[in-house]
Amino acid sequence: QVQLVESGGGLVQAGGSLSLSCAASGSIFSIYDMAWHRQAPGKQRRLVATITSGGTTNYADSVKGRFTISRDNAKNTVYLQMNSLEPEDTAVYYCNANLVDLARGGVRAVYWGQGTQVTVSS
């Protein structure tokens, strides 16, 4: 069974930095796009950044220039380096991936991690 596990969240002051990671494990045949989303209490989950298997990246306007998404395909891991953090960045951050799970007969599907809390104090 495929599992995505995030790590690296925590409490940081405004202007500080955090680095998140998300490792996928299980019967993975191939991983396509990977992404980070975030969700603040009482609000909708929103896209933060995406990265394709070839390394092409896209960012939400609110984080562009401050966050960097990257991946290590050999480790099935996606990262999110967050710099110049603002209180508005406070949210639970979730990683997800489009991948093919051999345990599901080669069906391409989206998998989500459990989330990691990022809190930015002013």
Side-chain angles (χ1 to χ4, degrees), residues 2-4 22 24-25 27-37 47 49-54 56 69 71 73 76-78 94-102 104 106-113:
V2 170
Q3 185 177 20
L4 275 64
C22 173
S25 62
S27 54
I28 299 170
F29 176 75
S30 182
I31 301 179
Y32 296 93
D33 293 355
M34 304 184 81
W36 288 93
H37 293 71
L47 178 69
T50 63
I51 184 167
T52 69
S53 60
T56 300
I69 188 172
R71 63 192 288 170
N73 291 332
N76 289 337
T77 300
V78 62
Y94 300 88
C95 73
N96 76 329
N98 286 328
L99 57 83
V100 174
D101 180 6
L102 293 178
R104 296 182 63 182
V107 174
R108 184 175 178 174
V110 177
Y111 290 81
W112 291 85

Side-chain angles (χ1 to χ4, degrees), residues 54-73:
T56 300
T57 60
N58 282 286
Y59 299 91
D61 288 341
S62 59
V63 306
K64 192 173 298 182
R66 300 187 297 118
F67 291 10
T68 301
I69 188 172
S70 61
R71 63 192 288 170
D72 185 336
N73 291 332

